[in-house]
Amino acid sequence: MAVVVNLQNERKQRPSIAALTALAGDDLKQVNEVILQRMQSPVALIPQLAGHIIAAGGKRLRPLLTLASARMCGYEGRRHVALAACVEFIHTATLLHDDVVDESDLRRGLATANAVWGNKASVLVGDFLFSRAFQLMVEDGSLSVLAILSNASAVIAEGEVLQLMTANDTETTEHAYLEVIKAKTATLFAAACRVGAVVASRPKVEEEALDSYGLNLGIAFQIVDDVLDYAAHQATLGKSVGDDFRDGKITLPVVLSFLRGDETEREFWRRTLERLEQGDGDLEHAVVLMEKHGSLRDSIERAKHYGAVARDALGVFPDSPEKRALLELVDFAISRSH
Amino acid sequence: MAVVVNLQNERKQRPSIAALTALAGDDLKQVNEVILQRMQSPVALIPQLAGHIIAAGGKRLRPLLTLASARMCGYEGRRHVALAACVEFIHTATLLHDDVVDESDLRRGLATANAVWGNKASVLVGDFLFSRAFQLMVEDGSLSVLAILSNASAVIAEGEVLQLMTANDTETTEHAYLEVIKAKTATLFAAACRVGAVVASRPKVEEEALDSYGLNLGIAFQIVDDVLDYAAHQATLGKSVGDDFRDGKITLPVVLSFLRGDETEREFWRRTLERLEQGDGDLEHAVVLMEKHGSLRDSIERAKHYGAVARDALGVFPDSPEKRALLELVDFAISRSH
């Protein structure tokens, strides 16, 4: 109990997403309304399944990025609301297909849609949400926004295929790992931010600054996520710890541990992650090896580097509450890890 | 051998797709070039898998519809080429996801992509092709085209989910069956045709005429396809005959046979298509029941009805080689069945 109290006291000083959520609160409520309204369909399974994953919530990080970016750029209209919803639809469609591909049972502490309704429904409802996202963009009517998000979608799909091909390969380089997380995670962060500058009709330099902020924030965010898969408690993270290990995913902590390990250790990684021959105590041993080589700590160091780049990218913008919230978000992304 | 010769002699008089292919031949070559070029990716699995299903060919019916519709509308530019490719990408993405959902092993007489590369790759490459289609549309720059094809995509996905929900239900009505094939097949036919009128900047009445032509042609086409699944030889159709029966798909011949059958027959359909308890001779018995009740013949009659509507829809256009080819296509769609 003492630990819980300490955490709560500490929370006030720790970087959090609270400032961002507070600033964008009203807009975010409207985003949620658009999401709820536009995931409807006479085909009952669609709102049921979509509602399950969308209501399960998460932090609505990507729509928040669009909302805050638009406001930071001085935008005073309402277009950013539908576009933020559209970003969340693309994200949700990706999650649905991702869970099918990863054969996941649990996401954010809840049963995945594919675990409840089966893979087929998840594939098809993902397709529906993806199409719906494009309908929302067409209604908005900006070809620039359509270009940004259709490009992002193609890159995301490419990244997913790349990950599939390099899966379970312990010789994956740090570079290859980065290419995958850039495509799978960071590209949509970048696009979500960039859309904010576009609706505000800001010059290219600000579009690109927001793109860079989002891309680097996304990389930092994903690296920390991958660290948490070895370091967090299930209750905190809301996903099954050890999932990546069980799936044989080659994330940065593994890449570093493999490179820094001796032949016996490398054989351990090959057995557990390539051949997926895992037994009792293997996950614990993996964490021991990661601690021995400082792989979790150094992964966080890498994340901090990308966080620093993200922060500097915002240098072109004058001070504002939104800018401060976006800067704090970088700290939050990284500080989740400890 | 005699049979082969007869078929070849007969072919000249029979309605075919040849006039359409000949008319649009040069344009279609360019469509194939765009397809080949734009399915490329540094991620090698994408062109491999996409090439497998796209090169496997089929008749390129949907792009041909866009090409011929545009020309019939007097269009003389080049935009229809990329948009026809984009229609084929959407179609291909749908096929890839469809084969995953149906767990099919064979399409057009070849192993399906999911049978060769697995479900995961098929889902993700489908996503890639779908995104690529939207990139092509954005490059074209017409919000009207984007609206038509994003709406079509959402309707297709809805139809797929609807089919999943009504699968293996022998009490499916003819109306419900029609709703599914309208969504799954006919909507993209309609959109492919409509885009032709849009690039040619024709008035709404011509857009809608082409939409109606495509929709009704698509319905006729799918009904005949569903008949062929009980009536054709594998060599002719290029797909496994009896697939629908084995999957327990409720198509029009089944709907009619169930409604017209006695209780013993209905129990046969429930056992084989709902409970999927199938044994030797069941497929043959299904065909016997269909012949007894004239279900295949009457399904073709229904197809002819939609074919007639499609033909009349073109009444607003003056005579032209393209119009004649599109009219012949309706006859071809129906005459495939006998």
Side-chain angles (χ1 to χ4, degrees):
Chain A
M1 282 304 270
V3 175
V4 174
V5 173
N6 279 345
L7 271 174
Q8 282 180 339
N9 285 339
E10 205 188 348
R11 199 166 287 162
K12 280 164 200 153
Q13 297 108 42
R14 296 192 68 172
S16 86
I17 199 174
L20 189 61
T21 313
L23 264 177
D26 288 344
D27 287 351
L28 190 60
K29 247 182 237 161
Q30 290 188 38
V31 171
N32 284 329
E33 279 163 25
V34 172
I35 287 175
L36 205 70
Q37 197 188 326
R38 299 309 294 273
M39 73 186 195
Q40 293 310 314
S41 159
V43 181
L45 183 57
I46 291 176
Q48 276 167 26
L49 192 153
H52 174 81
I53 183 163
I54 290 175
K59 296 173 286 294
R60 297 271 193 273
L61 201 47
R62 292 155 193 81
L64 278 170
L65 289 174
T66 303
L67 298 175
S69 299
R71 292 303 188 207
M72 182 177 68
C73 288
Y75 181 65
E76 294 186 344
R78 308 296 322 150
R79 286 174 55 204
H80 64 331
V81 167
L83 294 177
C86 146
V87 166
E88 187 71 358
F89 276 149
I90 292 177
H91 173 56
T92 309
T94 310
L95 288 188
L96 284 171
H97 288 185
D98 231 20
D99 282 340
V100 169
V101 169
D102 291 348
E103 297 164 2
S104 308
D105 297 324
L106 211 58
R107 173 177 291 279
R108 296 170 185 158
L110 280 180
T112 54
N114 50 306
V116 180
W117 286 279
N119 285 340
K120 300 174 180 189
S122 288
V123 170
L124 299 175
V125 175
D127 288 350
F128 174 80
L129 292 177
F130 197 58
S131 306
R132 191 42 57 91
F134 277 92
Q135 286 182 303
L136 281 166
M137 282 184 257
V138 170
E139 286 169 26
D140 173 71
S142 159
L143 281 168
S144 307
V145 169
L146 276 156
I148 291 167
L149 286 171
S150 62
N151 291 344
S153 300
V155 170
I156 292 168
E158 262 179 341
E160 301 265 5
V161 180
L162 183 63
Q163 187 179 44
L164 193 64
M165 289 172 70
T166 58
N168 309 102
D169 177 2
T170 52
E171 313 231 330
T172 302
T173 60
E174 181 165 349
H175 177 76
Y177 163 81
L178 265 176
E179 288 303 304
V180 166
I181 68 169
K182 254 192 225 171
K184 278 197 53 175
T185 306
T187 296
L188 191 56
F189 275 60
C193 293
R194 183 169 207 140
V195 165
V198 171
V199 292
S201 306
R202 301 302 305 163
K204 265 277 180 287
V205 63
E206 293 185 17
E207 257 190 52
E208 276 160 21
L210 273 167
D211 191 289
S212 172
Y213 164 80
L215 189 80
N216 285 283
L217 172 70
I219 294 172
F221 188 87
Q222 187 59 54
I223 292 176
V224 171
D225 236 40
D226 291 342
V227 166
L228 286 171
D229 210 83
Y230 287 94
H233 301 282
Q234 184 161 339
T236 325
L237 186 62
K239 72 177 196 183
S240 322
V241 173
D243 267 358
D244 291 350
F245 185 76
R246 272 185 290 274
D247 294 345
K249 268 200 196 157
I250 311 299
T251 58
L252 189 52
V254 172
V255 170
L256 295 180
S257 303
F258 184 85
L259 287 169
R260 296 171 182 183
D262 59 24
E263 193 41 45
T264 315
E265 293 176 16
R266 290 185 182 182
E267 181 46 31
F268 166 81
W269 294 114
R270 281 189 211 105
R271 170 173 65 77
T272 53
L273 301 183
E274 287 191 9
R275 303 199 296 276
L276 292 174
E277 296 163 11
Q278 301 183 4
D280 282 352
D282 278 342
L283 175 59
E284 291 71 15
H285 185 61
V287 174
V288 166
L289 292 181
M290 287 176 178
E291 277 165 5
K292 171 182 167 192
H293 293 296
S295 315
L296 294 170
R297 178 201 64 212
D298 288 350
S299 294
I300 300 296
E301 288 305 312
R302 304 286 210 272
K304 284 183 183 164
H305 159 79
Y306 293 103
V309 177
R311 242 187 309 265
D312 275 320
L314 294 187
V316 299
F317 297 98
D319 182 48
S320 71
E322 286 81 11
K323 178 172 169 176
R324 266 170 274 143
L326 289 173
L327 288 173
E328 187 180 349
L329 183 59
V330 178
D331 296 331
F332 166 73
I334 291 161
S335 68
R336 296 181 302 151
S337 63
H338 45 266
Chain B
M1 283 305 270
V3 175
V4 173
V5 172
N6 280 343
L7 271 173
Q8 284 182 337
N9 285 339
E10 205 186 348
R11 199 167 287 162
K12 280 167 200 152
Q13 298 107 42
R14 296 193 68 171
S16 86
I17 200 176
L20 189 61
T21 312
L23 263 176
D26 287 344
D27 286 351
L28 190 60
K29 245 182 238 161
Q30 290 187 39
V31 171
N32 284 330
E33 278 163 27
V34 172
I35 288 175
L36 204 70
Q37 196 188 329
R38 300 308 294 273
M39 74 184 194
Q40 292 310 314
S41 160
V43 181
L45 183 57
I46 292 176
Q48 276 167 27
L49 193 154
H52 174 81
I53 183 162
I54 291 176
K59 297 173 286 296
R60 297 270 193 274
L61 200 47
R62 294 155 192 81
L64 278 170
L65 288 174
T66 303
L67 298 175
S69 299
R71 292 304 187 205
M72 182 176 68
C73 287
Y75 180 65
E76 296 186 342
R78 306 299 321 151
R79 286 174 55 204
H80 65 331
V81 167
L83 294 176
C86 148
V87 166
E88 186 72 359
F89 276 150
I90 292 177
H91 172 56
T92 309
T94 311
L95 289 187
L96 284 172
H97 289 185
D98 231 21
D99 283 339
V100 168
V101 169
D102 291 348
E103 297 164 2
S104 309
D105 297 323
L106 210 58
R107 174 176 290 280
R108 295 170 185 157
L110 280 181
T112 54
N114 50 307
V116 180
W117 287 279
N119 284 339
K120 301 175 180 190
S122 288
V123 169
L124 299 175
V125 175
D127 289 350
F128 174 81
L129 292 177
F130 197 56
S131 305
R132 189 43 56 92
F134 277 92
Q135 287 181 304
L136 280 167
M137 282 183 257
V138 170
E139 286 169 26
D140 173 70
S142 160
L143 281 167
S144 307
V145 169
L146 275 156
I148 291 167
L149 287 170
S150 62
N151 291 343
S153 300
V155 171
I156 292 168
E158 260 177 343
E160 302 264 4
V161 180
L162 183 63
Q163 188 181 43
L164 193 64
M165 290 173 69
T166 58
N168 310 101
D169 178 1
T170 52
E171 313 231 326
T172 302
T173 61
E174 181 165 349
H175 177 76
Y177 163 80
L178 265 176
E179 289 303 304
V180 167
I181 68 168
K182 254 192 226 171
K184 277 197 55 175
T185 306
T187 297
L188 191 56
F189 275 61
C193 293
R194 184 169 206 138
V195 165
V198 172
V199 292
S201 307
R202 301 301 306 163
K204 265 276 181 285
V205 63
E206 294 185 17
E207 257 190 52
E208 276 159 21
L210 273 167
D211 191 290
S212 171
Y213 165 81
L215 190 80
N216 285 285
L217 171 70
I219 295 172
F221 189 87
Q222 187 60 55
I223 292 176
V224 172
D225 236 40
D226 291 342
V227 167
L228 286 172
D229 210 83
Y230 286 94
H233 301 283
Q234 183 160 340
T236 325
L237 186 61
K239 73 178 195 182
S240 322
V241 172
D243 267 357
D244 291 350
F245 185 76
R246 271 184 291 274
D247 294 346
K249 269 200 194 156
I250 312 299
T251 58
L252 190 52
V254 172
V255 171
L256 296 179
S257 303
F258 185 85
L259 286 169
R260 297 171 182 184
D262 60 22
E263 193 41 45
T264 314
E265 292 175 17
R266 290 184 182 184
E267 182 45 31
F268 166 80
W269 295 113
R270 282 189 211 103
R271 170 173 65 76
T272 53
L273 301 183
E274 287 190 8
R275 303 200 295 276
L276 292 174
E277 296 163 12
Q278 301 184 5
D280 282 353
D282 278 342
L283 175 59
E284 291 71 14
H285 186 60
V287 175
V288 166
L289 291 181
M290 286 176 179
E291 277 166 5
K292 171 181 169 193
H293 293 295
S295 314
L296 294 171
R297 179 201 63 213
D298 288 351
S299 293
I300 299 296
E301 288 305 312
R302 304 287 209 270
K304 284 182 184 164
H305 159 80
Y306 293 102
V309 178
R311 242 186 311 263
D312 274 320
L314 294 187
V316 298
F317 296 98
D319 182 48
S320 71
E322 286 81 12
K323 179 172 169 176
R324 267 171 272 143
L326 289 173
L327 289 171
E328 187 180 351
L329 183 59
V330 178
D331 297 330
F332 166 72
I334 291 161
S335 67
R336 294 182 303 150
S337 62
H338 44 262

